[in-house]
Amino acid sequence: MIMLDADCRAIFQLGQSAPLCERTTAEVEGQEVPENIELQYPENRQLRLSHVTCSNGQTMLSFLSCESSSRGAYVNESVISGSAQSTIDEGGGPYFRCDSEVEHVPYTLCLALDRWCDGQHDCSNGEDERECTSSISFIPLLGKYVAIPPPAVVHFDPTANTTSAVTMTTLTLSNGSYTCPDSHFQCPGGGYCMPVFVRCNGVNDCPRHEDEEGCYTYTCPGFYRCRKSRICLHADHVCDGLYHCPLQDDEQYCHIHCPTDCTCSGFAFACPHLFPVHQFADLRYLDASDSGLNLEHMTHNVLLIHLSVARCGLTDFGNVTLPNLQSLDLSDNHLVSVGTGDLSLFSNLRDLYLSGNPLISILSTTSDYAQHFPLMNSLDLSRINMKELKVDKLTLMPNLKILNFSNNGIERIEGTFKSLPHLTVLDIHGCPVHNFERNLLRDLEHFQRLYAQNYKLCCPLALPVGFNPKNCLAPFSEVSSCESLLRSDLYRVLLSLFAALALMGNLGSLIIRIFVLKQSAKSGFGTFVSHLCVSDFVMGVYLAIIGLADRLYLGSYLWEDNAWRHSAACKVAGFLSLLSCEVSAFIVCFITLDRFLALRFPFSGFHFSSKASHVACAATWLLGVGVAAVPLLPATSHWQFYSQTGICIPLPVTRNDFMGRSYSFGVMIVLNFVLFLLMAVGQVFIYTSIQSSRMSLGPDSSRKEQDVNIARRLITIAVTDFLCWFPIGLLGLLASGGVAVPGEVNVAMAILVLPLNSALNPFLYSLNMLLERRRRAREQRLMQALEASLVSENAN
């Protein structure tokens, strides 16, 4: 065997491959060289062009083709077509068998151009690695290796099969640099600007194949991404009459005209106004929200998959069949009923949105046969003002996964969701849901997320076994827990302490005034204090009721909460609490006024007598009963005023809204705040009067001094009352102004601050009485000593 050598560089400069044929010496002379043999190009275009596919499935270098004893052949690698296969004969090594099945071709050594200047000696004399410069590279285009000097922009027709479709434009350097067009990218280091659509297209286009690197993370923001491909196109190459995408989707939808003021992307339209939708029968996606279109306009759009006609004033479904529709948005229209017959027009419907419609009939049927909708995946019935939910209606959609009943005010759920075994998401936030069965959600094996308003639905006993509590989103209850009415032992201890002090302290103080200090109790001031003891005792009764309820339902409060909050005992407790608050506030204000009059006009009758104080107290009790009874009237029964929380009285000191909040704010914040401001002003006048009285004690000074002492001791009671009520009023004003106040403040105000006065007042009264008695005893001893001294002097 001999090898016929050829001039590698001369062939390279012609832009051709170098065919070097091996033949036996006997065959060299007098043999006619046949035409070029065409090799089959392998289907895997990531292989080098110097490879062929053999019949046994192996891939071999093109120079390992076959030989015969009679003739040789040149192989031109630039033409890649034909169907001849490589094979290996048992008698003489590897052979190439031609299509004729008779002729064989000897070994042919073909050197592809991408092996020139690649650092490896391929020619026998090393000619392929001489005079290599970095300014010349070769790029593979359409199976050709073309040498062009950089910088240059490459343009070619991807549908052409000849190099005549390839054009190159030399870029002119500006200040030593250049920029590729927006439709091209630069090959690193090569200087060539290649079209964007050849990036990650499975063919090596840059000289060093950089265009096929990092394709798994390749993104092309701002370009068109070919369907099911990594290929991206510049806008200039979309709808240009040439196919650049593997699925040719870059030339689809090009004939569609987008209506005025609409946003279009292929067969997807978003139009906020009326337009001739029947002219676009190929539409797949249509967002016609606020447009005024109705379902009757969609008669010819049977290919629609998604349709939104939200806020279009629809009153019925019409009689339009859309067999391919999968998503239908009818939110915020005027639909009053949705029957199974209406939904049967959309046999492939998966997602239905009916939010904001005044529905009074849902999934009703006009016959004995109730049609099922097994394909339904999600249903949105939010904001339709539904007060009761009957789960059995949903059995017509057994494969529902997502249900939205949010912001409906649902108070009762009848039945369980056992009939919806695939339910994964339930949204009922904005719904109090006071009544529900214990197994409402327990049997849902695939349940994943719950949005609720009532914290009880997030208790472990109400959720499926294995459910992640973090996926149950409900407002936190500051008062109660799943196990008890009072969620904290601290609350429980403080409530018991204040209840005992309020009950025993006020009862003891009242008994002392009635049976021991009879004379003092007959005065105007004594009458006011006696009535204050009664009102504070009422607060102790309220605290006792709450404490007893906490003990009664301990361990099972989850299932007893609704019954307790709507019970007569809770309403009585709330009534007593509000009554005590208002009566105490008015009486303390009257006491302040009485002391001010006694100091300002000490020698006149311009102050509260015993009779006048009784009349004032009676009016106060009547007013307090009226204020506390307003939430119980038939006209205000929908407030459920005393049923808002487990402590049976809603203080408006947080931003949480509830029925009757304005009334609670007006009484407990505005009215009481005004009363205690008046009380504060009165205390200032009393203080100034006390200071001036020290300098002006005249005739009948003992009575005046007594009034001064009473007023001075009264300041302690008034100040403690003011300091307790002032934060409640201040927090109420802040909350009404939108300031975020933690919900725990509601409990702190109701359990710690609100009853504090009722617990402390009787002891402050007793302290004042003891101090007064000590003052009188001291004065009596001084008088006795003075009399004894005078008698002794007279005797001498």
Side-chain angles (χ1 to χ4, degrees):
M1 300 289 291
I2 64 172
M3 177 178 289
L4 300 181
D5 198 3
D7 186 353
C8 289
R9 183 160 300 280
I11 298 176
F12 286 155
Q13 292 173 353
L14 295 176
Q16 299 175 353
S17 298
L20 302 180
C21 302
E22 298 175 329
R23 289 175 290 178
T24 62
T25 55
E27 298 173 334
V28 174
E29 298 180 359
Q31 298 293 332
E32 181 180 355
V33 179
E35 295 182 358
N36 293 337
I37 302 289
E38 297 180 354
L39 300 179
Q40 181 185 13
Y41 188 80
E43 294 183 359
N44 186 353
R45 291 188 58 82
Q46 292 195 22
L47 296 174
R48 299 166 64 93
L49 295 180
S50 56
H51 290 68
V52 293
T53 302
C54 300
S55 59
N56 61 2
Q58 294 182 346
T59 300
M60 303 182 66
L61 293 172
S62 57
F63 65 81
L64 291 179
S65 53
C66 308
E67 64 177 6
S68 72
S69 59
S70 60
R71 64 180 62 189
Y74 289 99
V75 179
N76 187 346
E77 194 179 70
S78 63
V79 182
I80 304 173
S81 62
S83 59
Q85 298 290 322
S86 294
T87 185
I88 298 179
D89 277 356
E90 296 181 358
Y95 287 84
F96 186 89
R97 179 173 295 156
C98 301
D99 288 337
S100 65
E101 298 294 333
V102 176
E103 296 178 324
H104 291 74
V105 183
Y107 287 114
T108 301
L109 179 60
C110 300
L111 185 61
L113 291 184
D114 62 346
R115 292 180 177 271
W116 183 36
C117 293
D118 64 351
Q120 301 289 335
H121 289 279
D122 296 297
C123 290
S124 60
N125 57 3
E127 187 71 16
D128 59 312
E129 297 300 321
R130 297 176 184 173
E131 302 181 10
C132 294
T133 62
S134 59
S135 62
I136 299 179
S137 299
F138 294 89
I139 54 177
L141 295 173
L142 302 175
K144 301 288 185 180
Y145 283 83
V146 183
I148 56 174
V153 180
V154 179
H155 303 274
F156 61 89
D157 179 358
T159 64
N161 292 320
T162 63
T163 57
S164 61
V166 180
T167 60
M168 289 148 285
T169 304
T170 302
L171 284 175
T172 302
L173 293 176
S174 177
N175 297 326
S177 62
Y178 67 92
T179 303
C180 291
D182 293 338
S183 58
H184 287 62
F185 70 94
Q186 181 181 357
C187 292
Y192 294 101
C193 296
M194 304 296 295
V196 173
F197 59 78
V198 303
R199 175 79 166 95
C200 290
N201 65 347
V203 180
N204 296 320
D205 297 291
C206 286
R208 302 187 185 277
H209 308 167
E210 298 93 346
D211 57 305
E212 297 301 316
E213 296 178 356
C215 291
Y216 287 101
T217 59
Y218 173 56
T219 59
C220 48
F223 293 87
Y224 174 76
R225 185 71 172 261
C226 292
R227 190 188 319 145
K228 296 182 180 180
S229 171
R230 295 190 179 95
I231 298 176
C232 302
L233 303 182
H234 186 268
D236 294 345
H237 296 135
V238 178
C239 293
D240 62 351
L242 301 175
Y243 294 119
H244 299 80
C245 291
L247 300 182
Q248 302 181 354
D249 50 293
D250 56 312
E251 296 301 317
Q252 295 179 354
Y253 323 124
C254 296
H255 64 284
I256 297 178
H257 171 69
C258 187
T260 305
D261 297 329
C262 292
T263 302
C264 306
S265 177
F267 291 146
F269 282 16
C271 295
H273 55 76
L274 287 170
F275 74 102
V277 63
H278 63 277
Q279 297 180 5
F280 302 89
D282 292 331
L283 280 180
R284 306 300 199 274
Y285 178 103
L286 175 59
D287 182 357
S289 303
D290 303 296
S291 67
L293 289 171
N294 57 48
L295 295 176
E296 295 288 348
H297 291 106
M298 317 297 171
T299 304
H300 301 286
N301 300 98
V302 294
L303 298 180
L304 275 173
I305 297 175
H306 171 88
L307 173 62
S308 174
V309 282
R311 300 177 298 280
C312 287
L314 273 66
T315 57
D316 56 53
F317 280 75
N319 192 27
V320 178
T321 301
L322 298 175
N324 294 296
L325 196 66
Q326 296 186 14
S327 176
L328 177 59
D329 188 352
L330 299 170
S331 302
D332 298 299
N333 282 292
H334 304 303
L335 300 173
V336 296
S337 67
V338 177
T340 57
D342 298 322
L343 299 183
S344 65
L345 301 173
F346 318 110
S347 55
N348 279 296
L349 195 62
R350 267 78 165 171
D351 307 307
L352 178 61
Y353 305 90
L354 295 168
S355 176
N357 283 279
L359 294 173
I360 58 177
S361 176
I362 303 173
L363 300 179
S364 59
T365 179
T366 57
S367 64
D368 295 335
Y369 173 71
Q371 183 173 353
H372 286 68
F373 303 95
L375 297 179
M376 284 294 294
N377 177 75
S378 65
L379 178 63
D380 184 355
L381 290 170
S382 60
R383 298 186 294 111
I384 62 173
N385 199 24
M386 177 191 300
K387 296 299 181 183
E388 184 178 57
L389 170 60
K390 295 183 179 181
V391 182
D392 60 346
K393 288 282 189 179
L394 302 174
T395 57
L396 301 178
M397 303 175 179
N399 294 314
L400 275 175
K401 295 181 179 179
I402 302 174
L403 266 175
N404 185 356
F405 290 101
S406 61
N407 299 310
N408 269 317
I410 296 175
E411 298 178 357
R412 177 183 178 84
I413 298 180
E414 183 178 317
T416 70
F417 288 101
K418 184 178 181 180
S419 58
L420 301 177
H422 302 285
L423 189 65
T424 58
V425 178
L426 176 63
D427 189 348
I428 49 176
H429 82 270
C431 303
V433 190
H434 299 309
N435 297 300
F436 61 92
E437 296 188 17
R438 297 193 177 193
N439 294 326
L440 179 68
L441 303 168
R442 292 285 290 178
D443 298 321
L444 298 178
E445 297 181 0
H446 304 287
F447 197 57
Q448 298 178 2
R449 187 169 293 271
L450 173 64
Y451 302 88
Q453 187 70 27
N454 191 338
Y455 78 95
K456 294 185 296 181
L457 289 167
C458 288
C459 292
L461 291 177
L463 294 170
V465 177
F467 183 87
N468 187 352
K470 294 181 179 180
N471 293 332
C472 188
L473 307 177
F476 176 77
S477 175
E478 300 85 9
V479 180
S480 306
S481 66
C482 297
E483 295 78 21
S484 58
L485 191 156
L486 298 177
R487 63 177 304 114
S488 169
D489 288 337
L490 176 62
Y491 293 156
R492 195 170 289 113
V493 170
L494 292 177
L495 183 139
S496 301
L497 176 62
F498 288 155
L501 293 176
L503 290 173
M504 293 186 294
N506 285 289
L507 182 60
S509 179
L510 186 62
I511 292 175
I512 292 174
R513 288 188 172 277
I514 294 176
F515 297 102
V516 178
L517 303 176
K518 298 180 181 180
Q519 191 64 30
S520 175
K522 294 179 180 179
S523 65
F525 173 76
T527 300
F528 284 131
V529 173
S530 297
H531 281 270
L532 185 59
C533 288
V534 175
S535 66
D536 288 341
F537 180 83
V538 171
M539 179 61 73
V541 175
Y542 158 75
L543 296 175
I545 294 175
I546 299 299
L548 290 174
D550 174 65
R551 178 58 57 182
L552 178 64
Y553 300 126
L554 189 62
S556 61
Y557 187 71
L558 167 62
W559 309 116
E560 305 295 340
D561 171 72
N562 186 66
W564 157 246
R565 289 190 293 108
H566 291 84
S567 66
C570 184
K571 293 179 181 179
V572 169
F575 175 86
L576 294 177
S577 176
L578 187 56
L579 173 65
S580 173
C581 290
E582 299 313 307
V583 171
S584 295
F586 273 100
I587 290 180
V588 171
C589 194
F590 278 133
I591 291 175
T592 302
L593 178 60
D594 175 73
R595 291 301 89 195
F596 170 73
L597 294 176
L599 291 173
R600 185 67 179 82
F601 308 102
F603 305 111
S604 68
F606 191 62
H607 56 81
F608 283 96
S609 62
S610 177
K611 182 179 180 179
S613 61
H614 278 296
V615 172
C617 289
T620 298
W621 281 102
L622 289 175
L623 178 62
V625 170
V627 169
V630 166
L632 300 176
L633 298 176
T636 58
S637 60
H638 63 283
W639 288 359
Q640 298 184 345
F641 190 80
Y642 296 120
S643 303
Q644 297 293 328
T645 63
I647 57 177
C648 304
I649 182 169
L651 290 175
V653 295
T654 66
R655 292 186 297 178
N656 296 334
D657 197 13
F658 56 87
M659 297 296 291
R661 189 182 193 281
S662 298
Y663 180 78
S664 177
F665 181 83
V667 172
M668 305 190 74
I669 302 300
V670 177
L671 177 59
N672 290 347
F673 198 68
V674 171
L675 291 176
F676 280 95
L677 283 179
L678 293 175
M679 184 181 65
V681 173
Q683 292 299 320
V684 172
F685 281 112
I686 290 174
Y687 179 78
T688 56
S689 297
I690 291 174
Q691 296 299 321
S692 61
S693 296
R694 293 178 178 177
M695 306 298 297
S696 60
L697 289 178
D700 199 12
S701 61
S702 61
R703 178 184 173 184
K704 188 172 182 179
E705 184 180 359
Q706 180 180 356
D707 290 338
V708 169
N709 290 330
I710 293 175
R712 184 182 296 115
R713 292 159 191 163
L714 176 64
I715 291 177
T716 58
I717 298 175
V719 169
T720 55
D721 285 358
F722 177 78
L723 292 179
C724 287
W725 274 102
F726 181 79
I728 295 178
L730 180 61
L731 289 174
L733 292 174
L734 292 175
S736 65
V739 177
V741 179
E744 291 83 352
V745 173
N746 196 0
V747 184
M749 294 295 105
I751 296 181
L752 304 181
V753 177
L754 194 63
L756 184 61
N757 287 329
S758 300
L760 295 180
N761 282 345
F763 297 98
L764 293 177
Y765 305 149
S766 301
L767 177 62
N768 285 332
M769 287 189 295
L770 291 175
L771 293 176
E772 180 63 19
R773 293 183 66 179
R774 289 182 59 185
R775 183 189 67 79
R776 291 180 179 179
R778 185 171 61 254
E779 289 180 350
Q780 187 176 3
R781 288 195 300 271
L782 290 175
M783 291 298 297
Q784 290 176 353
L786 180 60
E787 291 177 356
S789 176
L790 292 176
V791 170
S792 176
E793 289 180 357
N794 292 332
N796 294 330

